[in-house]
Amino acid sequence: MSLTNATPLEVAQAARVGSRRLAVLSTDERNAALTAIHEALASGKEEVLAANKQDLEDANKAAAGGTLSQSLVKRLDLGKPGKYEDMLQGILDVRDLQDPINKTTARTLLDDNLLLSRVTCPIGVLLIIFEARPEVIANISALAIKSGNAAILKGGKESSHSFAAIASIISRALSTTSVPSDCLQLVQTRDVIADLLKLDQYIDLCIPRGGNELVRYVKDNASIPVLGHADGICTAYLCGDYPADKATKIIVDAKVSYPAGCNALEQLLVHETALNSTLPIVAEALLSKGVSLRCDPASFSALKSKLDAHSAAILQEASEEDYDTEFLDLILAIKTISSLDQAIEHVNAHSSHHTDAILTLDAPTAQTFLSAIDSSSVYWNTSTRMADGQRYGFGTEVGISTNKIHSRGPVGLEGLTIYKWIIIGDAQVSAEYGAGGKKWKHEKLAAGDEEGWARNEEEKEVLRKFRAERGT
Amino acid sequence: MSLTNATPLEVAQAARVGSRRLAVLSTDERNAALTAIHEALASGKEEVLAANKQDLEDANKAAAGGTLSQSLVKRLDLGKPGKYEDMLQGILDVRDLQDPINKTTARTLLDDNLLLSRVTCPIGVLLIIFEARPEVIANISALAIKSGNAAILKGGKESSHSFAAIASIISRALSTTSVPSDCLQLVQTRDVIADLLKLDQYIDLCIPRGGNELVRYVKDNASIPVLGHADGICTAYLCGDYPADKATKIIVDAKVSYPAGCNALEQLLVHETALNSTLPIVAEALLSKGVSLRCDPASFSALKSKLDAHSAAILQEASEEDYDTEFLDLILAIKTISSLDQAIEHVNAHSSHHTDAILTLDAPTAQTFLSAIDSSSVYWNTSTRMADGQRYGFGTEVGISTNKIHSRGPVGLEGLTIYKWIIIGDAQVSAEYGAGGKKWKHEKLAAGDEEGWARNEEEKEVLRKFRAERGT
């Protein structure tokens, strides 16, 4: 990894050149680079923690001055028991995932001896902007190398010493491997971002992780595609038939377990038949956890009459804008709903298309909701907090996307790949077909990685040998 | 289809509302709409041809005045024998393709009774800008409805009468079906495009079909994602071992069969060992078809000495910019190459990442090329003109993409879909796992459409019934 002060153009060009070499490395070569990074970071622990200590000192000063929150300071600390080891283990976990590239995902025999195949490959050069948690840089670097992508990285400034130390160690580690060092570059000043976002001839995709403001800035200023999400306004629709104990368990988890998360619940839609039965039980549990409830008139009056005086006194009335707000805090907007159609309409209009849930025992109701909601994740009887790459079994994630193209929801290794179409022929040409008299066969074949693009046993053997020599 | 003079905002909002209803229609309902459009256009043939005649008259006047080419005028004529019938058949062909949405493409058992599935769904609202060929509007409309997407359409102005007539007929046909008419809207003036490109809260994707200038304008002005390609600079690399007869057949097809196509060959790279053997035979064939050859010094001098005096006299010297030019004409740039690495480097730097080919008998050479070339289609021993949705077996295509995300190469129905993640649980919540003590199972299950999101036989039966009632 280069720790670079080069111009944005130089950074992007170097990454592009590096990406070409990285893209053709074998699985073994990419995995060996991850092993080397793991070993180097393990033996460089003291060096990294010393740098991290400097970040912590600066952060504590800022916290004392009131410009940084204590919870952020805590997240900067790489010295907490087990945290460094978790970071190291994460690199090995990514290494041990299945290789996402060079997979043959479709094969069509266009005509005798003329085979079309679709093969996964890296996207190319990624620009990843991420928050200040120092361990994130190791995670993202591992994902990039595993997926064969070069990456230009910019991390939150509060961890700049830690990032620089980790980057130096990764750089030294890569110099002993087949992965060119320019494939990972850490840019250290924020002012280069604007220029990088315009370099669409060298950079293929930007993934901004972080707050609404950052994501909007990137979307407004990029000529390269952007994968990510700005808001996380997640909703749950509670039907009258759903048991109060399960509803409470789900809604408390969704709201309370990590209110600052993008997958935290921000709005509860309540069917009117649940207003006097389930809702008061759920509300009592939420209030006891310190959640402020902002209610529409119907839910407000129902709760007023059902809750004890102390609880009733702290209820708030919701404003219209509460239904378009990502609170990221212990606040929940509640709205009464009189039909499934109204719930669907509200969610499609007010959720941020991140994650929405329905709580019901009725299968047709749930199916209609699952089918009609236009969001990246839609759940039936579970918490919106499930939206996470690790929970989805991706090993880890590079971000969560609410895009309608490419990758949607938690984005793991697969989301960092694209494909190319390969045709192998024997001098068949386009003009022979159609008006030329020959007919297409268009026979779909099974897509196996063993076969790859091979048309017959002989070519399979050639392919096997080619791969074995490269260590794929 | 609405033939609309509404404001861009009204157009986009109406399309968004329509898209929500279209997205939940069953396969049968969407197919029935295509049958209705087919029947209406079949019985409205005279009406359409009358409008088309008006376009042709205007076009002939423009051609006489020198502002339109005769070849474009020909392409406007829907009355040519068989053309209208081909257009009608195209609608039925799309109808009869497999439904691309509601497919379950991955299933993971996260824990007992907690199932994650990935289900394909429409993208939402498409903005498609297309050329003046009048039959294209029927084709694109069919693709949009089949894939469950609303579409805002803007066609080339030379066919505006034909488009308006076809749109009116489609509109009347849709009014008898479950597909809301606002799902297809034809905008009739170019000045609304700039505004539409900014409405990313209502429009999910723009597909500009047409010249470089249009695509660059769209890419520079859109806040919505753009799928497509600006240039089609396709290359072929001819190795010394490839037989001259096959090389000639492929290169002549690639250059001559449709020089205005984006998949036409623009550059021929020749390994130095082929300069005096294969190249003269290929060059003679190209010259006899009227192709101008622009040669680098080595190929120029080789051909000078090998070709007859007449042929040698019309050879041209290439300039550097010829290797970055999409000629769209009977012109071919030729460059001498001394190694596979040099060929790969040249293609990755100068091709437009659309389609590139290698001609060789040597498998390892071909494999290295296929693996290293960063283009949407890469071929071994066939013509770049193969890059086409119909030839790939997609039935038809909505465009060809050189994007590095979402869809790459010819884009058929599958490229008009995205997916959502569905989880079905029984009140399991996030905080129970990891630090909460429970372990994820992450068991990958076979992804069958029959199973869909069902966790057991009982739910499979519910799902079957639900689908049967909806006619999916």
Side-chain angles (χ1 to χ4, degrees):
Chain A
M1 173 167 331
S2 319
L3 221 151
T4 187
N5 289 309
T7 68
L9 184 64
E10 289 164 348
V11 167
Q13 286 176 329
R16 168 59 80 202
V17 170
S19 77
R20 303 275 188 225
R21 287 171 57 200
L22 176 56
V24 297
L25 295 183
S26 68
T27 313
D28 288 355
E29 286 170 312
R30 282 175 280 122
N31 287 348
L34 294 183
T35 305
I37 289 174
H38 174 265
E39 283 172 13
L41 284 174
S43 54
K45 182 174 175 180
E46 292 314 311
E47 184 182 340
V48 174
L49 290 187
N52 183 239
K53 212 175 150 195
Q54 223 175 324
D55 286 328
L56 282 173
E57 283 170 14
D58 294 349
N60 277 316
K61 273 182 220 154
T67 58
L68 203 67
S69 74
Q70 275 300 341
S71 71
L72 182 55
V73 176
K74 272 186 205 154
R75 275 191 265 165
L76 300 183
D77 186 1
L78 257 183
K80 268 195 292 197
K83 199 157 177 190
Y84 201 87
E85 287 63 37
D86 283 352
M87 177 184 88
L88 292 176
Q89 184 57 43
I91 297 167
L92 299 185
D93 288 348
V94 170
R95 181 195 65 186
D96 297 339
L97 290 172
Q98 207 190 29
D99 190 353
I101 65 174
N102 298 315
K103 300 272 154 230
T104 304
T105 55
R107 298 167 83 230
T108 304
L109 195 68
L110 301 182
D111 192 8
D112 293 335
N113 224 9
L114 184 68
L115 180 72
L116 171 71
S117 31
R118 188 177 64 190
V119 180
T120 63
C121 56
I123 288 177
V125 178
L126 314 174
L127 169 61
I128 307 180
I129 306 169
F130 51 101
E131 66 275 29
R133 283 191 297 135
E135 67 273 27
V136 170
I137 189 173
N139 199 271
I140 291 178
S141 299
L143 283 169
I145 291 177
K146 179 78 184 187
S147 59
N149 288 290
I152 301 166
L153 307 175
K154 171 72 182 79
K157 66 177 185 315
E158 295 81 5
S159 286
S160 52
H161 293 102
S162 310
F163 288 145
I166 293 173
S168 300
I169 291 172
I170 292 181
S171 178
R172 293 200 300 268
L174 287 183
S175 69
T176 66
T177 75
S178 310
V179 173
S181 187
D182 282 345
C183 286
L184 291 175
Q185 293 181 71
L186 178 69
V187 298
Q188 302 196 76
T189 57
R190 194 168 180 167
D191 56 1
V192 297
I193 298 292
D195 291 336
L196 289 171
L197 289 173
K198 300 290 182 203
L199 293 173
D200 59 348
Q201 67 273 51
Y202 301 112
I203 304 176
D204 298 297
L205 182 66
C206 177
I207 305 178
R209 292 164 55 120
N212 190 306
E213 202 183 333
L214 167 70
V215 177
R216 288 200 188 278
Y217 171 79
V218 167
K219 288 201 177 194
D220 290 346
N221 289 281
S223 61
I224 55 181
V226 179
L227 201 68
H229 69 276
D231 293 308
I233 303 182
C234 301
T235 69
Y237 172 43
L238 172 62
C239 298
D241 65 344
Y242 199 63
D245 57 340
K246 291 185 175 179
T248 304
K249 183 180 171 201
I250 291 172
I251 293 164
V252 167
D253 182 88
K255 181 69 255 180
V256 174
S257 64
Y258 186 53
C262 59
N263 52 14
L265 188 71
E266 305 290 18
Q267 291 182 38
L268 177 64
L269 308 182
V270 184
H271 191 265
E272 53 195 18
T273 55
L275 279 184
N276 295 302
S277 48
T278 326
L279 181 62
I281 299 169
V282 172
E284 201 66 77
L286 289 167
L287 290 169
S288 77
K289 300 276 184 185
V291 179
S292 300
L293 303 181
R294 302 195 178 170
C295 304
D296 71 334
S299 62
F300 189 85
S301 82
L303 290 176
K304 274 276 179 212
S305 68
K306 290 281 179 181
L307 297 180
D308 63 48
H310 172 257
S311 296
I314 56 174
L315 291 176
Q316 299 171 8
E317 289 178 52
S319 68
E320 269 313 302
E321 73 188 18
D322 284 330
Y323 301 108
D324 293 299
T325 300
E326 184 181 25
F327 299 112
L328 295 173
D329 203 347
L330 288 175
I331 302 170
L332 182 69
I334 298 180
K335 188 182 176 72
T336 308
I337 293 287
S338 58
S339 72
L340 176 60
D341 280 350
Q342 193 198 347
I344 290 169
E345 205 174 300
H346 180 92
V347 174
N348 279 337
H350 297 275
S351 105
S352 65
H353 311 292
H354 186 297
T355 304
D356 302 288
I358 185 169
L359 311 185
T360 181
L361 297 177
D362 185 59
T365 299
Q367 283 160 32
T368 303
F369 185 88
L370 295 173
S371 152
I373 295 301
D374 177 25
S375 295
S376 65
S377 292
V378 194
Y379 299 162
W380 179 14
N381 297 346
T382 188
S383 159
T384 55
R385 292 267 301 129
M386 291 289 184
D388 170 275
Q390 196 272 327
R391 290 170 190 157
Y392 277 26
F394 297 173
T396 183
E397 69 179 30
V398 71
I400 291 186
S401 162
T402 54
N403 287 30
K404 301 293 279 290
I405 61 167
H406 196 64
S407 250
R408 209 178 180 204
V411 180
L413 280 176
E414 202 180 297
L416 299 182
T417 69
I418 182 70
Y419 52 78
K420 57 178 138 181
W421 296 95
I422 289 180
I423 301 183
I424 305 193
D426 182 17
Q428 300 94 328
V429 297
S430 67
E432 293 177 296
Y433 296 86
K438 279 174 100 170
K439 283 216 158 84
W440 299 103
K441 292 208 164 168
H442 288 153
E443 183 186 338
K444 303 267 176 218
L445 306 181
D449 288 318
E450 200 200 333
E451 290 82 11
W453 45 256
R455 290 169 299 181
N456 50 45
E457 282 306 315
E458 196 185 330
E459 287 181 350
K460 253 170 84 171
E461 184 52 39
V462 172
L463 185 60
R464 221 171 356 242
K465 209 176 136 201
F466 181 76
R467 287 173 171 170
E469 277 166 11
R470 296 176 69 241
T472 305
Chain B
M1 170 164 342
S2 317
L3 221 151
T4 188
N5 288 309
T7 67
L9 184 64
E10 289 164 347
V11 167
Q13 286 176 330
R16 168 59 80 203
V17 170
S19 77
R20 303 275 188 224
R21 290 171 56 200
L22 176 56
V24 296
L25 295 184
S26 68
T27 313
D28 288 355
E29 286 170 313
R30 282 176 278 120
N31 287 348
L34 294 184
T35 304
I37 290 175
H38 174 264
E39 282 171 14
L41 285 174
S43 54
K45 182 174 175 181
E46 291 314 310
E47 186 184 337
V48 174
L49 290 187
N52 184 237
K53 212 175 147 193
Q54 224 175 323
D55 286 329
L56 283 172
E57 283 170 15
D58 293 350
N60 276 316
K61 274 183 216 151
T67 58
L68 204 67
S69 74
Q70 274 301 340
S71 70
L72 181 55
V73 176
K74 271 185 207 154
R75 275 190 266 165
L76 300 184
D77 187 1
L78 258 184
K80 266 195 291 195
K83 199 159 178 189
Y84 200 86
E85 288 63 38
D86 282 352
M87 177 183 88
L88 291 176
Q89 185 57 43
I91 297 167
L92 299 185
D93 288 348
V94 170
R95 181 196 65 186
D96 297 339
L97 290 172
Q98 208 190 26
D99 190 353
I101 65 174
N102 299 313
K103 301 271 153 229
T104 304
T105 55
R107 297 167 85 232
T108 305
L109 195 67
L110 301 182
D111 192 8
D112 292 335
N113 224 11
L114 186 68
L115 180 72
L116 171 70
S117 31
R118 188 177 64 190
V119 179
T120 63
C121 57
I123 288 176
V125 179
L126 315 174
L127 169 61
I128 308 180
I129 306 170
F130 51 101
E131 65 276 31
R133 284 190 299 134
E135 68 274 26
V136 169
I137 188 174
N139 198 271
I140 290 177
S141 298
L143 283 167
I145 291 178
K146 180 80 186 186
S147 59
N149 287 290
I152 301 166
L153 307 176
K154 171 71 181 80
K157 65 178 185 314
E158 294 81 4
S159 285
S160 51
H161 293 101
S162 311
F163 288 143
I166 293 172
S168 300
I169 291 173
I170 292 180
S171 179
R172 293 200 298 269
L174 286 184
S175 68
T176 67
T177 74
S178 312
V179 174
S181 187
D182 282 346
C183 286
L184 292 175
Q185 293 181 72
L186 179 68
V187 297
Q188 302 196 74
T189 56
R190 193 167 180 168
D191 55 3
V192 297
I193 298 293
D195 289 337
L196 289 170
L197 290 173
K198 299 292 183 202
L199 293 172
D200 59 347
Q201 68 272 51
Y202 302 113
I203 304 175
D204 299 297
L205 182 66
C206 177
I207 306 178
R209 295 164 51 120
N212 189 306
E213 203 182 332
L214 167 70
V215 178
R216 288 201 185 278
Y217 171 79
V218 168
K219 289 201 176 192
D220 289 346
N221 289 281
S223 63
I224 54 181
V226 179
L227 200 67
H229 68 275
D231 294 308
I233 303 181
C234 302
T235 69
Y237 172 43
L238 171 63
C239 297
D241 65 345
Y242 199 62
D245 56 340
K246 291 184 175 182
T248 304
K249 185 180 168 200
I250 291 171
I251 294 164
V252 168
D253 182 86
K255 181 69 253 182
V256 174
S257 64
Y258 186 53
C262 59
N263 53 14
L265 188 72
E266 304 291 18
Q267 291 183 37
L268 177 64
L269 309 181
V270 184
H271 190 264
E272 55 194 18
T273 54
L275 279 184
N276 294 305
S277 48
T278 326
L279 181 62
I281 298 167
V282 172
E284 199 67 75
L286 289 167
L287 290 169
S288 77
K289 300 277 185 183
V291 179
S292 301
L293 303 180
R294 301 193 179 172
C295 306
D296 72 330
S299 61
F300 189 85
S301 83
L303 288 177
K304 274 279 180 209
S305 68
K306 289 282 179 178
L307 295 181
D308 63 47
H310 173 256
S311 297
I314 56 175
L315 291 176
Q316 300 170 7
E317 289 178 51
S319 68
E320 267 315 300
E321 73 187 20
D322 286 329
Y323 300 108
D324 292 299
T325 301
E326 183 180 24
F327 298 113
L328 294 173
D329 203 348
L330 288 175
I331 301 169
L332 183 69
I334 298 178
K335 187 179 175 76
T336 307
I337 293 287
S338 58
S339 72
L340 176 60
D341 280 350
Q342 192 198 348
I344 289 169
E345 203 174 304
H346 179 92
V347 173
N348 279 337
H350 297 276
S351 105
S352 65
H353 311 293
H354 185 297
T355 304
D356 302 289
I358 185 170
L359 311 185
T360 181
L361 297 178
D362 186 58
T365 299
Q367 283 160 35
T368 303
F369 186 88
L370 294 173
S371 153
I373 294 300
D374 177 23
S375 296
S376 66
S377 293
V378 195
Y379 298 164
W380 179 14
N381 296 346
T382 188
S383 159
T384 55
R385 292 268 300 128
M386 291 289 184
D388 170 276
Q390 196 272 328
R391 289 169 190 158
Y392 276 26
F394 296 171
T396 183
E397 70 179 30
V398 71
I400 291 186
S401 162
T402 54
N403 288 30
K404 301 292 279 289
I405 61 166
H406 197 63
S407 249
R408 206 178 183 205
V411 179
L413 280 175
E414 202 178 299
L416 299 182
T417 69
I418 181 70
Y419 51 78
K420 58 177 136 182
W421 296 96
I422 288 180
I423 301 184
I424 305 195
D426 183 15
Q428 302 94 327
V429 297
S430 67
E432 294 177 297
Y433 295 87
K438 280 174 97 170
K439 282 217 157 86
W440 299 103
K441 290 209 161 166
H442 287 153
E443 182 186 340
K444 303 266 175 218
L445 306 181
D449 289 317
E450 202 200 333
E451 290 82 9
W453 45 256
R455 289 169 299 180
N456 50 46
E457 281 306 314
E458 195 186 331
E459 287 182 348
K460 252 170 85 171
E461 183 53 37
V462 171
L463 184 60
R464 223 175 350 245
K465 209 176 133 201
F466 180 77
R467 286 173 173 171
E469 276 164 12
R470 298 176 68 242
T472 305

